[in-house]
Amino acid sequence: MTYKNIAQKVADQIQHTGVKPVSKWMFRLKNFAFWSLVVTFLLVGSVSLAIIIFLMVTNDWDLYSRLHAAFIFQTIPYFWMISFIVFIAFGEHYYRRTILGHRQRLIKIIAVYFVVTGICGTALFMGGIGQKIEQLIAQNIPAYHLVMYDKDSIWSQPEKGLLAGTINAVGVDTFEVLDLQNHTWTVEKSNAFIRSRVNLAVGEKIKILGRKANQNLFIADEVRPWEGLGRKQMQ
Amino acid sequence: MHQPCTDKSDLDLVKLSIQNSDWYFCLLKRYESKLLRYIASISGLRTEESEDILQEVFIKTYYHLNEYDPRLRFSSWIYRIAHNETISAIRKKKVRPQIFLEKDDFERLADEFDLVKEVDQKLTTDLITKIFNAMDLKYREALSLRFLDDKEYLEIADILQKPVSTVGNLIARGKRIFESEYRKFLQLTPYDL
């Protein structure tokens, strides 16, 4: 066969087999699927960012003075940071596979993704969506605790002045707390700063900064909600 | 040709071909020789093998006519299909593609790279071929599309599915590599080539 015959051969093949071009709806569907993936990854990236902001803002940064640098490395939300980067990478990959996606430079696509996810992620955080999703995942996916820092163990160090648990009973100057290891403490609160979001009532989960007086008595300097805004709230 | 094709644009022919496959013959004839030459130039496969790839390209293009988006030039789109099919064929065969330059190709490259034409033409053609074959496929293909097929940067970007700036870098770097190698070879005796 010489090239002069290829056109004729292909034309004959199309005629004889009666093949037709694939329907335009198939391609529209394919295009829609790609754009859906681009938008989905952008949204999931935004949710990851909202959770990162939530975890960073609500982190008890002031514990640094008690627990030093190890505390910072322990509490950085690596899982969500990696997830944020991975979803940006996926989004970039699928955007490139759209009809004109290849024309844009990698750095430009990533910059646009950062800006858009930055805006959406901040909006989701401000709307409380980041917090809700994070708590939903924490409550329903047991494996989540394996990839996040162990907040329970940080707040189960009464000898370092860190205690957390659920209020069992409330008195005038004291209240009773069942800590995360199921040990009951009497907490002296007469000189404690109690943050405005704390509702000192039975069933409330709280964090307490202070000092251990004996095996059952803890002197509170400050009482915080379990899911609070840390130092920021105090200001 | 089955119908008068010459007054029709590529886009017209795509629309007509979707309605009636007879019109597709016009597109086939319009791109037959250009694509065969392009496939051969980047793959270095024998003519029969290049023709087989071209046949696949034309069939695939026909199946996907409804996917064609007029925001791209039709030529860029069909070259992209040819590029993908050729690269796929090269990978399957696991061969290093070799380029074969024709006299016209040599003339164009000699002009573009300002080569010394007074040197024996046969020798220079062999030299260009040798340098081209030693180059990385990505540079070779960019140079081939730019200087042998006269494609604009944007068209090359659409064919290779890379940003225009990357295409610019590939061509500039490809030219530098080519010129540097050419200068090195010129210092050798003809027996070394």
Side-chain angles (χ1 to χ4, degrees), chain A residues 46-55 80 120-138 144:
Chain A
S46 302
V47 168
S48 300
L49 185 64
I51 294 173
I52 291 169
I53 299 172
F54 163 69
L55 292 172
W80 290 109
C120 295
T122 307
L124 289 172
F125 164 70
M126 304 283 273
I129 308 291
Q131 177 174 359
K132 278 182 188 157
I133 293 175
E134 204 272 340
Q135 286 169 355
L136 208 66
I137 293 171
Y144 179 67

Side-chain angles (χ1 to χ4, degrees), chain A residues 21-83:
Chain A
V22 177
S23 162
K24 72 175 96 169
W25 289 105
M26 288 297 291
F27 298 115
R28 283 186 185 168
L29 201 65
K30 181 182 157 194
N31 207 24
F32 177 76
F34 271 106
W35 277 107
S36 301
L37 284 171
V38 171
V39 173
T40 302
F41 288 126
L42 195 139
L43 285 176
V44 180
S46 302
V47 168
S48 300
L49 185 64
I51 294 173
I52 291 169
I53 299 172
F54 163 69
L55 292 172
M56 299 300 264
V57 168
T58 58
N59 198 10
D60 298 290
W61 293 112
D62 53 343
L63 296 190
Y64 174 76
S65 58
R66 290 169 189 256
L67 302 171
H68 309 295
F71 168 74
I72 293 180
F73 291 110
Q74 268 181 332
T75 57
I76 287 174
Y78 297 105
F79 171 76
W80 290 109
M81 285 177 165
I82 291 168
S83 130

Side-chain angles (χ1 to χ4, degrees), chain B residues 2-182:
Chain B
H2 296 173
Q3 285 93 8
C5 310
T6 47
D7 58 333
K8 299 270 188 280
S9 71
D10 285 348
L11 181 58
D12 293 336
L13 289 172
V14 169
K15 287 176 181 168
L16 290 165
S17 300
I18 291 168
Q19 305 299 321
N20 180 349
S21 64
D22 286 350
W23 286 99
Y24 189 53
F25 189 72
C26 299
L27 283 170
L28 295 177
K29 291 307 289 180
R30 193 171 282 180
Y31 284 96
E32 187 178 49
S33 57
K34 289 180 196 170
L35 286 179
L36 189 65
R37 169 205 153 101
Y38 169 66
I39 292 166
S41 76
I42 62 167
S43 70
L45 294 168
R46 286 180 295 119
T47 309
E48 297 76 29
E49 289 172 309
S50 296
E51 286 173 351
D52 287 345
I53 295 171
L54 180 59
Q55 199 176 323
E56 285 300 313
V57 169
F58 281 149
I59 297 285
K60 196 166 189 175
T61 303
Y62 181 71
Y63 274 123
H64 287 75
L65 278 180
N66 275 312
E67 192 178 19
Y68 170 60
D69 186 323
R71 284 178 293 172
L72 286 179
R73 282 192 187 184
F74 179 79
S75 65
S76 301
W77 187 64
I78 198 168
Y79 265 77
R80 181 194 290 189
I81 295 172
H83 163 86
N84 291 340
E85 285 294 312
T86 308
I87 297 298
S88 169
I90 291 170
R91 283 188 186 142
K92 273 183 203 160
K93 289 183 183 298
K94 294 179 182 169
V95 292
R96 179 173 170 81
Q98 301 287 306
I99 195 168
F100 298 104
L101 293 174
E102 292 172 5
K103 190 169 179 291
D104 285 355
D105 298 335
F106 159 73
E107 292 290 345
R108 285 191 216 186
L109 286 172
D111 285 343
E112 182 57 42
F113 292 103
D114 199 20
L115 304 181
V116 189
K117 285 192 214 170
E118 52 269 28
V119 181
D120 174 26
Q121 182 173 311
K122 173 70 174 66
L123 180 67
T124 314
T125 308
D126 289 348
L127 180 53
I128 293 175
T129 307
K130 192 170 182 174
I131 296 170
F132 250 79
N133 283 334
M135 287 172 85
D136 208 49
L137 179 63
K138 62 185 176 187
Y139 298 121
R140 196 146 38 106
E141 191 174 12
L143 292 178
S144 169
L145 284 166
R146 180 75 189 102
F147 301 119
L148 302 183
D149 291 286
D150 289 326
K151 297 284 182 195
E152 298 297 326
Y153 279 37
L154 185 61
E155 284 183 88
I156 300 172
D158 288 338
I159 294 165
L160 302 181
Q161 292 177 274
K162 292 182 188 302
V164 177
S165 55
T166 305
V167 168
N169 290 336
L170 284 175
I171 291 171
R173 186 154 167 69
K175 276 184 81 171
R176 276 203 300 276
I177 294 169
F178 184 91
E179 284 162 354
S180 150
E181 290 301 310
Y182 184 77

Side-chain angles (χ1 to χ4, degrees), chain A residues 14 42 45 52-53 62 95 100 130 145 148 171-172 207 209 219 235:
Chain A
I14 290 168
L42 195 139
I52 291 169
I53 299 172
D62 53 343
Y95 175 75
L100 298 176
H145 298 285
M148 292 302 290
V172 181
K207 297 179 289 197
L209 282 162
I219 312 294
Q235 291 162 349

Side-chain angles (χ1 to χ4, degrees), chain A residues 11-232:
Chain A
D12 290 346
Q13 197 177 338
I14 290 168
Q15 286 286 331
H16 292 141
T17 53
V19 292
K20 296 280 174 209
V22 177
S23 162
K24 72 175 96 169
W25 289 105
M26 288 297 291
F27 298 115
R28 283 186 185 168
L29 201 65
K30 181 182 157 194
N31 207 24
F32 177 76
F34 271 106
W35 277 107
S36 301
L37 284 171
V38 171
V39 173
T40 302
F41 288 126
L42 195 139
L43 285 176
V44 180
S46 302
V47 168
S48 300
L49 185 64
I51 294 173
I52 291 169
I53 299 172
F54 163 69
L55 292 172
M56 299 300 264
V57 168
T58 58
N59 198 10
D60 298 290
W61 293 112
D62 53 343
L63 296 190
Y64 174 76
S65 58
R66 290 169 189 256
L67 302 171
H68 309 295
F71 168 74
I72 293 180
F73 291 110
Q74 268 181 332
T75 57
I76 287 174
Y78 297 105
F79 171 76
W80 290 109
M81 285 177 165
I82 291 168
S83 130
F84 176 63
I85 291 164
V86 165
F87 286 117
I88 282 188
F90 275 127
E92 186 274 336
H93 172 77
Y94 283 99
Y95 175 75
R96 267 192 188 284
R97 297 187 66 178
T98 59
I99 187 78
L100 298 176
H102 62 275
R103 286 186 182 175
Q104 305 302 329
R105 294 176 66 194
L106 173 73
I107 191 79
K108 191 174 171 186
I109 299 172
I110 289 179
V112 169
Y113 251 87
F114 263 103
V115 170
V116 176
T117 50
I119 293 168
C120 295
T122 307
L124 289 172
F125 164 70
M126 304 283 273
I129 308 291
Q131 177 174 359
K132 278 182 188 157
I133 293 175
E134 204 272 340
Q135 286 169 355
L136 208 66
I137 293 171
Q139 284 161 12
N140 295 294
I141 303 174
Y144 179 67
H145 298 285
L146 300 174
V147 293
M148 292 302 290
Y149 87 97
D150 189 3
K151 190 174 171 183
D152 288 8
S153 68
I154 285 179
W155 284 95
S156 298
Q157 303 179 80
E159 64 285 349
K160 287 187 179 174
L162 302 169
L163 185 67
T166 309
I167 298 173
N168 268 347
V170 181
V172 181
D173 289 328
T174 60
F175 59 89
E176 241 181 52
V177 165
L178 180 67
D179 77 6
L180 303 172
Q181 271 70 47
N182 290 322
H183 178 77
T184 303
W185 293 83
T186 299
V187 179
E188 164 69 53
K189 69 174 171 84
S190 49
N191 293 318
F193 169 71
I194 298 170
R195 295 209 180 184
S196 58
R197 281 201 186 178
V198 175
N199 177 21
L200 274 186
V202 174
E204 182 80 356
K205 195 171 182 184
I206 53 168
K207 297 179 289 197
I208 310 159
L209 282 162
R211 62 192 164 80
K212 181 181 169 185
N214 62 42
Q215 284 305 311
N216 300 308
L217 181 64
F218 194 86
I219 312 294
D221 293 329
E222 187 183 332
V223 182
R224 299 175 177 182
W226 179 250
E227 297 292 352
L229 289 175
R231 179 173 284 181
K232 193 178 175 185

